[in-house]
Amino acid sequence: MKNNASELLIGFTVLISAVMVVSTFWVQGFNEDALRETLRETARISFILFLVVFLASPLYALNKNSVTQWLIQNRRYLGLSFGVSHLIHLVLIIALVLGYSEGELSNIATSDTYLMGGLGYLFIFAMMMSSNDGAVKRLGRKRWKLLHRVGMYFLFVSFLMSFIGLLDKDQTFYLPFVVAILFAGGVRMWVFYKKEIGAVRKRRSLG
């Protein structure tokens, strides 16, 4: 059942991404503007999947129902779907650099963008490669959790910085993305706070 869920989620992600990319090239032709548009499209797909994964655990903690239970049960496959979506995004970045950088990477993006993006992809690769029971056993649950927690929060900061940086280009369009990711961060902080308060009260009652 879980293998079917994995295949369906990843397959659906690839299908949606492929349809958007192909339709953009079909309408605009294969050029720099079209490539940049497909980068924005795949980034939005990745962002939506990231938010779902990021919020799965806190939403389940706040309200246990069939929807949040499904999110928890399929969080690993949703995470893999995010990884696949962002790999498609990476392929498009490489195509843009190879085709239109004219040998100067700064023509495409700043050095800070390459650094943050490179580190982000390292975390994505590491999390994708370790998203299986065997990796959990080899790494140990504590190290596995640390890797995925640090990676997830690094990606959180990367998305937030990216969308804040895009506000100058189109505040009306990108402001909702900034609000969405800040809201997601707030939800996780609230759940963490509730857990800590609950733990303190429990220790006091036992003491």
Side-chain angles (χ1 to χ4, degrees):
M1 183 68 178
K2 287 187 176 181
N3 286 335
N4 290 337
S6 173
E7 292 170 2
L8 285 172
L9 286 168
I10 294 172
F12 185 71
T13 299
V14 172
L15 177 62
I16 293 297
S17 299
V19 168
M20 295 185 75
V21 169
V22 171
S23 61
T24 299
F25 288 145
W26 181 269
V27 173
Q28 299 186 27
F30 190 86
N31 52 56
E32 183 176 358
D33 288 339
L35 269 172
R36 290 186 180 275
E37 180 61 28
T38 59
L39 284 170
R40 289 189 287 269
E41 292 167 349
T42 52
R44 290 166 202 156
I45 294 172
S46 295
F47 177 66
I48 292 170
L49 288 167
F50 173 79
L51 274 190
V52 172
V53 176
F54 191 74
L55 285 171
S57 180
L59 289 178
Y60 182 73
L62 290 172
N63 186 13
K64 294 178 176 62
N65 56 49
S66 58
V67 174
T68 56
Q69 185 176 5
W70 185 89
L71 290 176
I72 284 293
Q73 290 175 342
N74 293 281
R75 182 171 50 176
R76 175 181 293 180
Y77 310 118
L78 288 164
L80 287 170
S81 298
F82 160 75
V84 169
S85 172
H86 232 47
L87 288 179
I88 295 171
H89 186 73
L90 177 60
V91 170
L92 294 168
I93 291 174
I94 293 171
L96 182 65
V97 169
L98 292 178
Y100 300 97
S101 68
E102 298 178 350
E104 292 290 337
L105 294 178
S106 59
N107 290 337
I108 302 299
T110 64
S111 57
D112 289 343
T113 300
Y114 287 118
L115 177 61
M116 289 292 289
L119 289 173
Y121 274 107
L122 285 177
F123 276 118
I124 290 172
F125 292 141
M127 289 189 288
M128 289 182 73
M129 294 298 293
S130 61
S131 289
N132 56 78
D133 294 336
V136 176
K137 291 179 181 178
R138 288 191 296 273
L139 289 172
R141 184 160 292 276
K142 284 187 177 181
R143 284 192 290 267
W144 184 89
K145 283 186 175 181
L146 179 62
L147 167 63
H148 284 254
R149 185 177 294 114
V150 172
M152 187 162 59
Y153 279 106
F154 182 88
L155 293 171
F156 172 87
V157 172
S158 295
F159 274 117
L160 178 59
M161 290 177 63
S162 295
F163 287 126
I164 288 176
L166 290 168
L167 288 176
D168 290 338
K169 293 185 177 180
D170 191 339
Q171 183 172 342
T172 303
F173 183 82
Y174 287 108
L175 184 59
F177 290 92
V178 175
V179 172
I181 196 164
L182 287 175
F183 174 78
V187 171
R188 287 192 70 95
M189 288 179 63
W190 172 246
V191 170
F192 176 78
Y193 172 76
K194 286 186 66 177
K195 286 182 178 179
E196 288 298 304
I197 292 297
V200 170
R201 288 175 178 173
K202 186 176 180 180
R203 286 195 298 269
R204 286 177 178 175
S205 65
L206 292 173

